[in-house]
Amino acid sequence: MRRLTFVMLFGLMALGQAPAGMAQGTGVSFGILQTDTSQPVDITSDSMRVNQEDGSALLTGSVLIIQGDMRLSADNVLVIRRAEGNGIKRLEARGNVVLVSGEDAAEAREADYTIESGTVVMRGDVLLTQAGNTLGAETMTVDLTTGNATLSGRVRTTLGGGSNN
């Protein structure tokens, strides 16, 4: 927790010194454990439509994707298969997206998860909650193999009160 607080405070100090026209961003950790992106991906939804030409599948209604300790939920998810037809290349989640890893949770309007690189890019009113602290931004990029996250686009934060911060 102290590491997270230090990273957040350092990021806030750096933002305070940035020129007004400069893009703003900060780095934080995401998730208690790193996610093994080679683990199987379990997907459930209310319905699924498969495109036979390219092998993609559109999942709709209460979509839940689980990989190891990570959970991703959304209204709709487009599953794009690898060109070789062997496994999933990318997941494109749209509408009420929630990404949970350990006790950390992030919400956004949309997210793209590239399985091979282990990268999740969340966009649109991103809200990250960690141990009573919140961070907001327009975009958050999470590297699931390292647990590092970068927020950009008018980053804002609320630090919880108490002696543990």
Side-chain angles (χ1 to χ4, degrees):
M1 181 62 194
R2 288 180 188 209
R3 178 176 163 253
L4 171 63
T5 302
F6 175 76
V7 170
M8 286 174 40
L9 291 175
F10 180 78
L12 290 173
M13 289 187 313
L15 288 175
Q17 297 172 0
M22 188 175 179
Q24 297 180 351
T26 189
V28 296
S29 61
F30 182 81
I32 295 172
L33 304 172
Q34 291 131 355
T35 300
D36 179 0
T37 58
S38 67
Q39 290 183 328
V41 177
D42 182 38
I43 303 172
T44 58
S45 67
D46 291 339
S47 65
M48 177 175 74
R49 187 176 68 222
V50 177
N51 181 330
Q52 294 298 332
E53 292 178 19
D54 63 10
S56 66
L58 179 61
L59 302 134
T60 57
S62 302
V63 181
L64 177 62
I65 299 167
I66 300 172
Q67 184 178 38
D69 293 322
M70 183 193 73
R71 294 184 320 275
L72 175 72
S73 62
D75 294 338
N76 304 299
V77 175
L78 179 63
V79 178
I80 301 171
R81 299 190 54 82
R82 290 188 180 133
E84 311 84 53
N86 185 5
I88 299 169
K89 176 180 180 179
R90 181 177 169 98
L91 301 170
E92 297 177 355
R94 302 295 181 261
N96 299 307
V97 177
V98 178
L99 176 67
V100 178
S101 179
E103 294 181 18
D104 296 348
E107 302 172 21
R109 286 194 305 259
E110 60 184 54
D112 294 331
Y113 175 22
T114 305
I115 305 287
E116 195 169 287
S117 67
T119 304
V120 176
V121 178
M122 300 182 78
R123 289 178 299 282
D125 298 322
V126 176
L127 179 64
L128 171 62
T129 304
Q130 295 180 308
N133 301 315
T134 60
L135 285 155
E138 282 305 308
T139 304
M140 179 174 78
T141 302
V142 181
D143 181 337
L144 296 173
T145 58
T146 65
N148 293 328
T150 303
L151 289 95
S152 60
R154 196 66 186 154
V155 178
R156 55 206 175 278
T157 187
T158 302
L159 301 175
S163 61
N164 293 332
N165 291 329

